[in-house]
Amino acid sequence: MGTGHFFWVIFYFASLCSASLANNAKINFREKEKKVLDQILGAGKYDARIRPSGLNGTDGPAYVSVNIFVRSISKIDDVTMEYSVQLTFREQWTDERLKFDDIQGRLKYLTLTEANRVWMPDLFFSNEKEGHFHNIIMPNVYIRIFPNGSVLYSIRISLTLACPMNLKLYPLDRQICSLRMASYGWTTNDLVFLWKEGDPVQVVKNLHLPRFTLEKFLTDYCNSKTNTGEYSCLKVDLLFKREFSYYLIQIYIPCCMLVIVSWVSFWLDQGAVPARVSLGVTTLLTMATQTSGINASLPPVSYTKAIDVWTGVCLTFVFGALLEFALVNYASRSGSNKANMHKENMKKKRRDLEQASIDAASDLLDTDSNATFAMKPLVRHPGDPLALEKLRQCEVHMQAPKRPNCCKTWLSKFPTRQCSRSKRIDVISRITFPLVFALFNLVYWSTYLFRDEEDETF
């Protein structure tokens, strides 16, 4: 019994020792991590002001590979010509001064949150207007140091970047917005930026833009030379295609409807002056308001945009319909005046003829009853001038009929009197305005759609 009790006491103490050793092993591992940090970043051992050496410890430039992850694009502003983007920005380089023992693979990397502890590339965004870091709940930044001395820097930032736009094809356009990153103080002799091999730019899968679609992107280099040296630069071009359905519903279809409504005045009676004037003025003012609203959402550029051509022509058609009524009204009043004058002349001639017949009758009554009357011959001689004239008229009427003209035949349905000119103008306008507007649509869409496909290159 005493031997068994002694055995259990020894087993208990052995268990305690093993647990204590395990705890000591864990504590020692964390302490080892602290010792590594103190060893490579301790005072007097690492100077963050000195850049890393080049490849294989040479005195060449330090190479920094860059890649970005686009998290969201919040807006693309046509007026200010800028766009806002939120991205995760990563840089990776090798600093041989930060090499350490990984304890047989148990220490994969060291994590820091203070960027001032190690040397950092002086990268800046050259086309940046505004930018800020994210500090909720903690600063969204980390630095990882790997056993071979490789350093990974990652940070989440939001930027508002300049995007010069060419709006000649607006709203059938594509825009290229760039993101440029360059070194501010280190020349290419000391620092070179490179795109990460494989997949330098990633874009979130469910990226949504209200009026644009991100078609593709392209990475490139944009080194710049100044009087202080050559500086390394990276850029990524984002190709955005404008969604046309919004503008079709909000601009193009309403403008077409206004133009068609202005043609209703051609079918109203020429005497309905208040109705035709009200219709023409209302459509003209509505079209002008639509045009001013479109221009208010765009920058005042010096060149003509595709939307300017459309609204300008539509405004011209509406204004032309109003002028057409003015012409119809003038022709109607002119024809009425001439018709009245013609009636007065006819009445005057009729009165003169009646007076002449009365005078002739009175003269006949006063003549002598024995007077003889000369009878005109009923048959004309062949040499009679009147007979020759009748013969020529018969020859003219016996000529072969000419081929009828469709336009003249259609216009001949309306009398040639002055009072019907106004109606003829309305009838011609009913056909001419829609045909010309349809021809304009054919030329407009074929020109800008084909130009959009051929001239817009990435």
Side-chain angles (χ1 to χ4, degrees):
M1 185 67 181
T3 305
H5 180 72
F6 179 76
F7 173 76
W8 284 109
V9 171
I10 293 175
F11 180 76
Y12 176 74
F13 278 105
S15 300
L16 291 177
C17 290
S18 62
S20 178
L21 290 174
N23 292 333
N24 289 334
K26 292 182 179 179
I27 295 174
N28 291 337
F29 177 75
R30 296 308 172 195
E31 288 181 354
K32 184 62 177 179
E33 186 176 354
K34 177 181 179 300
K35 289 180 180 179
V36 170
L37 287 174
D38 293 338
Q39 181 182 356
I40 62 177
L41 298 176
K45 296 183 178 180
Y46 183 87
D47 192 346
R49 299 173 298 176
I50 307 301
R51 72 168 179 87
S53 58
L55 295 176
N56 299 324
T58 61
D59 195 28
Y63 290 92
V64 179
S65 61
V66 176
N67 77 303
I68 60 176
F69 175 70
V70 179
R71 292 181 173 272
S72 65
I73 299 176
S74 58
K75 70 172 183 177
I76 301 177
D77 197 335
D78 298 319
V79 178
T80 57
M81 292 192 178
E82 64 185 20
Y83 71 105
S84 298
V85 60
Q86 182 186 127
L87 51 88
T88 298
F89 175 75
R90 304 186 187 98
E91 294 176 310
Q92 191 166 7
W93 66 95
T94 301
D95 192 342
E96 294 185 355
R97 297 172 296 175
L98 299 176
K99 288 183 178 181
F100 62 89
D101 184 13
D102 60 354
I103 315 176
Q104 299 179 354
R106 297 182 64 184
L107 191 59
K108 295 182 178 180
Y109 55 82
L110 302 174
T111 302
L112 300 176
T113 57
E114 299 176 1
N116 57 355
R117 296 293 301 276
V118 297
W119 176 86
M120 295 291 299
D122 61 341
L123 181 141
F124 77 104
F125 298 92
S126 58
N127 60 334
E128 173 202 354
K129 288 187 175 182
E130 294 180 0
H132 67 273
F133 302 118
H134 294 266
N135 298 318
I136 301 175
I137 299 176
M138 293 292 293
N140 299 161
V141 59
Y142 68 79
I143 299 174
R144 290 177 180 175
I145 304 175
F146 295 88
N148 62 348
S150 177
V151 182
L152 174 62
Y153 173 73
S154 178
I155 188 172
R156 187 166 72 100
I157 53 179
S158 292
L159 300 170
T160 299
L161 304 167
C163 178
M165 299 181 182
N166 186 353
L167 300 174
K168 289 184 178 180
L169 300 180
Y170 177 90
L172 302 168
D173 58 336
R174 288 182 173 91
Q175 299 299 335
I176 299 177
C177 295
S178 299
L179 175 63
R180 295 174 177 266
M181 300 162 285
S183 173
Y184 189 81
W186 299 95
T187 63
T188 53
N189 296 327
D190 297 311
L191 179 62
V192 174
F193 289 110
L194 300 173
W195 284 112
K196 183 180 179 180
E197 296 182 0
D199 196 6
V201 178
Q202 300 94 35
V203 180
V204 66
K205 293 183 179 180
N206 58 347
L207 180 65
H208 176 71
L209 295 172
R211 290 185 297 172
F212 288 88
T213 300
L214 178 61
E215 288 193 331
K216 57 183 177 179
F217 52 86
L218 177 67
T219 57
D220 200 359
Y221 296 89
C222 54
N223 292 2
S224 60
K225 292 183 178 181
T226 65
N227 56 359
T228 57
E230 182 180 359
Y231 297 89
S232 181
C233 175
L234 302 176
K235 74 170 182 176
V236 54
D237 293 329
L238 305 174
L239 177 60
F240 296 101
K241 180 181 179 182
R242 198 182 299 272
E243 290 291 343
F244 180 68
S245 58
Y246 168 81
Y247 301 93
L248 179 65
I249 297 173
Q250 297 294 328
I251 296 177
Y252 284 92
I253 292 180
C255 289
C256 284
M257 294 173 65
L258 286 174
V259 172
I260 295 174
V261 167
S262 68
W263 299 341
V264 175
S265 63
F266 304 153
W267 301 87
L268 298 178
D269 186 74
Q270 59 187 6
V273 176
R276 298 188 67 165
V277 170
S278 300
L279 183 62
V281 172
T282 302
T283 52
L284 183 62
L285 292 178
T286 307
M287 191 66 215
T289 304
Q290 180 85 348
T291 303
S292 62
I294 295 170
N295 294 329
S297 61
L298 293 173
V301 294
S302 58
Y303 48 82
T304 302
K305 303 179 289 295
I307 195 66
D308 295 334
V309 176
W310 175 264
T311 55
V313 172
C314 291
L315 188 63
T316 303
F317 270 93
V318 174
F319 182 68
L322 185 61
L323 291 182
E324 189 270 349
F325 170 67
L327 180 61
V328 167
N329 187 266
Y330 173 77
S332 176
R333 290 187 290 106
S334 177
S336 299
N337 294 335
K338 291 184 178 181
N340 294 332
M341 293 178 60
H342 181 70
K343 289 181 180 180
E344 293 294 333
N345 292 333
M346 292 299 293
K347 289 181 180 180
K348 184 177 180 181
K349 289 181 179 179
R350 190 177 296 108
R351 287 195 298 267
D352 293 342
L353 290 175
E354 292 176 354
Q355 185 65 33
S357 61
I358 292 173
D359 295 340
S362 61
D363 292 340
L364 290 174
L365 293 174
D366 294 339
T367 54
D368 187 31
S369 59
N370 295 328
T372 58
F373 297 94
M375 300 295 293
K376 294 182 180 181
L378 296 176
V379 180
R380 295 290 181 181
H381 296 287
D384 193 352
L386 184 58
L388 294 177
E389 181 65 22
K390 294 292 184 181
L391 182 62
R392 282 195 296 268
Q393 291 179 1
C394 292
E395 291 177 356
V396 171
H397 286 291
M398 292 300 293
Q399 291 180 357
K402 295 182 179 180
R403 186 175 181 180
N405 192 331
C406 297
C407 296
K408 291 183 178 180
T409 303
W410 178 66
L411 293 176
S412 63
K413 297 179 181 180
F414 305 96
T416 57
R417 296 182 292 108
Q418 295 291 337
C419 60
S420 66
R421 287 184 180 179
S422 58
K423 188 174 182 181
R424 177 178 292 186
I425 294 173
D426 274 341
V427 174
I428 295 175
S429 299
R430 295 172 190 173
I431 306 300
T432 304
F433 273 71
L435 286 179
V436 176
F437 189 68
L439 179 62
F440 162 72
N441 274 269
L442 178 63
V443 174
Y444 179 87
W445 294 112
S446 60
T447 300
Y448 283 102
L449 288 178
F450 292 151
R451 182 180 178 182
D452 185 28
E453 295 177 357
E454 296 175 359
D455 297 346
E456 285 291 325
T457 58
F458 190 76

